[in-house]
Amino acid sequence: MILTLGRGHTIIITNVGFNTLPEYEVILYHPLRGTMNCFHGKPKELVFPQYPDQWNKFYCLTHRVQPEPFNFLKHWFLHLEGKSITAPSFTDFTLRLVLRNSERILFEDEELGNSEARRLFEAVSGGKVEQDVKFVFYKSKAPFWVELIRRYKTRRMLRAYGVK
């Protein structure tokens, strides 16, 4: 039996580092709005601890089976310090990976947060935002020689499987 809750937005977190990641949550943070923990994963599909090159898929349900969007997400975007606003500005959002049951931040990126907030707001409001959408990909902060070794190992693995 398949139960369809609705449609939404998916984000995939891949561990590109060398260390394992402990159990974490994906949250959207704004300094004046606070945090929104709207990304959830299916319990049987989440992998923790997350080893290098493993990925987890998180989703944010923006529309129920009925066509009306979730009000809490739209309310969070359209209220600032308790006052209603007409449209949010996508300049101060931060996407964070936070250690579960803690306030320790494992990773944060403002550009990813702004683009994810814009995409979520477009989904719940039903229209495009007038600002340009800039897709941002995380670039590893490892030294250059570490990236060369990683690429070499990836190419060697692909050749072993007959892909390249």
Side-chain angles (χ1 to χ4, degrees), residues 8 26 30 34-35 59 77-78 80 110 116-117 119-120 125 148 157 164:
V26 179
H30 190 273
T35 60
Y59 62 92
F77 280 116
L78 293 178
L80 187 63
E110 193 171 305
E116 288 300 319
R119 291 173 70 191
L120 285 176
S125 66
L148 285 177
M157 181 184 68
K164 268 191 172 179

Side-chain angles (χ1 to χ4, degrees), residues 2-144:
I2 298 175
L3 177 65
T4 304
L5 298 174
R7 60 190 169 105
H9 179 68
T10 303
I11 184 170
I12 297 174
I13 307 292
T14 305
N15 185 358
V16 295
F18 293 110
N19 299 327
T20 59
L21 289 175
E23 200 167 343
Y24 60 84
E25 297 175 340
V26 179
I27 62 168
L28 199 56
Y29 171 77
H30 190 273
L32 301 176
R33 288 180 176 89
T35 60
M36 174 58 74
N37 187 2
C38 60
F39 291 98
H40 305 283
K42 294 180 181 174
K44 293 184 180 180
E45 294 181 5
L46 291 179
V47 178
F48 290 115
Q50 188 176 349
Y51 293 101
D53 297 325
Q54 284 185 325
W55 54 270
N56 278 323
K57 184 187 279 188
F58 293 88
Y59 62 92
C60 176
L61 191 62
T62 55
H63 291 78
R64 293 186 182 134
V65 176
Q66 298 90 9
E68 55 187 74
F70 275 6
N71 290 332
F72 76 90
L73 201 52
K74 193 171 186 178
H75 177 79
W76 189 71
F77 280 116
L78 293 178
H79 285 80
L80 187 63
E81 295 181 321
K83 297 176 184 174
S84 293
I85 57 173
T86 55
S89 170
F90 301 103
T91 55
D92 294 329
F93 291 94
T94 305
L95 185 75
R96 290 181 173 177
L97 302 183
V98 178
L99 188 64
R100 189 171 299 248
N101 299 327
S102 173
E103 293 182 11
R104 182 173 175 212
I105 300 169
L106 302 174
F107 172 81
E108 66 179 348
D109 191 298
E110 193 171 305
E111 289 183 45
L112 285 173
N114 290 329
S115 69
E116 288 300 319
R118 185 178 294 113
R119 291 173 70 191
L120 285 176
F121 182 72
E122 286 176 358
V124 296
S125 66
K128 291 282 184 186
V129 179
E130 292 183 14
Q131 296 175 353
D132 292 334
V133 177
K134 178 181 170 187
F135 289 100
V136 180
F137 297 96
Y138 171 70
K139 184 178 178 188
S140 176
K141 294 179 182 169
F144 178 71

Side-chain angles (χ1 to χ4, degrees), residues 143-154:
F144 178 71
W145 62 272
V146 172
E147 288 301 317
L148 285 177
I149 293 171
R150 183 180 289 147
R151 286 187 206 141
Y152 170 75
K153 287 181 177 180
T154 304

